[in-house]
Amino acid sequence: MLNRVIQRFKLNVLSINEVEDSHSSTVYNCKLLNGETIFLKIPYTKLKCQRELEAYEILKDRVSIPEILDYWSGDEECPGAFLLSELKGQPLTNKALPTVAFQVGVLHASMHQIQPPPSIQLISIQDEFSVWSNIVERQFYSFAEDVKEVLDESLYRQAIENFESMKRQLPPADGPSFIHMDFRPANIIIDENKVSGVIDFESVRFGSTEIDFTKLYRDFLSFDVKLYQSYQEGYNTVRPLIELEVVLPFYQFTDAFNSIGWCKRRGSEKNASFLEKNLSILKKILL
């Protein structure tokens, strides 16, 4: 499939390397003969491909993102492909300065400030805010079918009871907002202590912001209180930040639970490391 996509875009490739930290779609870093670096992305499904395409239209000139250099809608064998410009820099790490965390807060809030656009007819990005509680519940119980095959019966039953109990304590949803759904360090690009932008929009939707902080907190903000404080300060310059301490426990739990189901669905052996990480998180919460 890769060779077909390269031929489709008529690329003169010097070298090509798969980007490792891409959990769903397949992404390649390509060095061209003319010295240019571009990224080739093949989404996992046609739905994710269409969702990403619409996201670029929504975010253009509002949030720093790569430029779509070319696009192929795909065929029966390939769901589609994007040729994307390079955002200069490297993925965010927890070694970043608080000033970077401030910029990440501004970036995140800038996305959350975007509401469903009345001028754009969306096909794949849904406005789910009015039924947000139902969406969260439906997603959880969908993955529960897979999780049931991984956890022992006692732990699985405890997880279900925990979900129902915590869900009843959630505050009113915050939105409708454009939410990334995979806002984590690997998708935030930093260049010399400045945020270059954000990537990967195949899971985006309009909904409640409360779900969108979990992965960033897990992989970045939780490592240093100064990062957490600076992020909050940056976010609040654009829009008021919800009380994260109230919603994070619920979404940390559901993220770990759903991720276990995702690993089972996509292949437990292939995703063994990610599976073990989330099993550990879930057990710490429940045991």
Side-chain angles (χ1 to χ4, degrees):
M1 184 184 297
L2 174 59
N3 289 333
R4 287 185 60 219
V5 174
I6 290 174
Q7 293 172 6
R8 184 82 186 190
F9 288 140
K10 299 178 181 178
L11 299 178
N12 295 313
V13 178
L14 178 63
S15 66
I16 184 166
N17 294 290
E18 187 171 353
V19 176
E20 293 182 1
D21 201 4
S22 179
H23 290 161
S24 184
S25 58
T26 306
V27 183
Y28 298 95
N29 180 321
C30 304
K31 305 288 185 183
L32 304 183
L33 289 176
N34 63 5
E36 185 181 4
T37 296
I38 55 92
F39 284 83
L40 186 61
K41 178 169 185 175
I42 304 173
Y44 191 70
T45 64
K46 285 188 177 295
L47 173 62
K48 289 179 178 292
C49 188
Q50 181 63 34
R51 194 180 287 150
E52 180 121 0
L53 186 64
E54 291 180 355
Y56 274 94
E57 184 177 3
I58 293 169
L59 296 176
K60 186 178 181 181
D61 299 326
R62 305 180 75 172
V63 175
S64 181
I65 56 175
E67 177 186 355
I68 296 182
L69 304 174
D70 205 346
Y71 167 70
W72 178 40
S73 60
D75 54 24
E76 292 182 358
E77 296 181 2
C78 178
F82 294 90
L83 200 61
L84 302 170
S85 67
E86 178 188 25
L87 285 179
K88 295 295 182 181
Q90 300 295 324
L92 176 69
T93 73
N94 56 27
K95 304 298 183 184
L97 297 174
T99 53
V100 172
F102 183 96
Q103 296 172 58
V104 172
V106 172
L107 171 68
H108 206 186
S110 297
M111 281 197 296
H112 289 171
Q113 191 76 342
I114 299 173
Q115 296 186 336
S119 59
I120 302 176
Q121 184 177 0
L122 300 175
I123 299 172
S124 300
I125 299 179
Q126 302 297 318
D127 181 1
E128 300 173 342
F129 181 72
S130 63
V131 291
W132 186 250
S133 179
N134 294 338
I135 295 295
V136 172
E137 182 172 327
R138 188 172 67 198
Q139 184 182 47
F140 179 86
Y141 280 107
S142 171
F143 280 119
E145 297 299 317
D146 302 280
V147 176
K148 193 173 185 178
E149 299 180 31
V150 179
L151 302 183
D152 64 63
E153 185 177 349
S154 176
L155 190 61
Y156 175 78
R157 185 171 61 252
Q158 190 176 347
I160 299 298
E161 292 172 355
N162 192 64
F163 174 79
E164 291 296 337
S165 175
M166 295 183 76
K167 184 184 66 171
R168 289 191 292 268
Q169 301 173 42
L170 288 175
D174 173 51
S177 293
F178 183 93
I179 49 178
H180 189 280
M181 296 293 290
D182 198 20
F183 196 74
R184 57 191 176 95
N187 290 328
I188 304 165
I189 308 302
I190 310 299
D191 185 32
E192 296 184 353
N193 294 322
K194 292 185 178 180
V195 173
S196 294
V198 60
I199 60 174
D200 191 4
F201 308 105
E202 62 183 42
S203 298
V204 302
R205 61 203 66 198
F206 288 98
S208 175
T209 64
E210 60 197 43
I211 198 173
D212 220 24
F213 303 98
T214 311
K215 296 176 182 179
L216 183 69
Y217 183 83
R218 179 193 67 195
D219 298 337
F220 178 62
L221 299 176
S222 62
F223 288 90
D224 188 335
V225 68
K226 292 181 180 179
L227 295 178
Y228 192 24
Q229 290 172 345
S230 294
Y231 166 83
Q232 293 180 79
E233 291 169 6
Y235 191 100
N236 279 316
T237 63
V238 179
R239 70 189 303 271
L241 182 63
I242 62 173
E243 294 183 73
L244 291 182
E245 292 76 10
V246 176
V247 300
L248 269 175
F250 174 78
Y251 283 100
Q252 287 171 325
F253 161 69
T254 55
D255 178 65
F257 184 91
N258 293 349
S259 294
I260 292 169
W262 182 92
C263 290
K264 180 66 174 65
R265 201 173 283 182
R266 295 291 182 89
S268 297
E269 292 185 9
K270 179 181 178 182
N271 299 285
S273 176
F274 191 50
L275 175 60
E276 287 302 318
K277 178 180 180 179
N278 284 286
L279 276 170
S280 177
I281 293 172
L282 188 71
K283 288 177 180 177
K284 285 181 181 178
I285 293 172
L286 296 177
L287 299 179

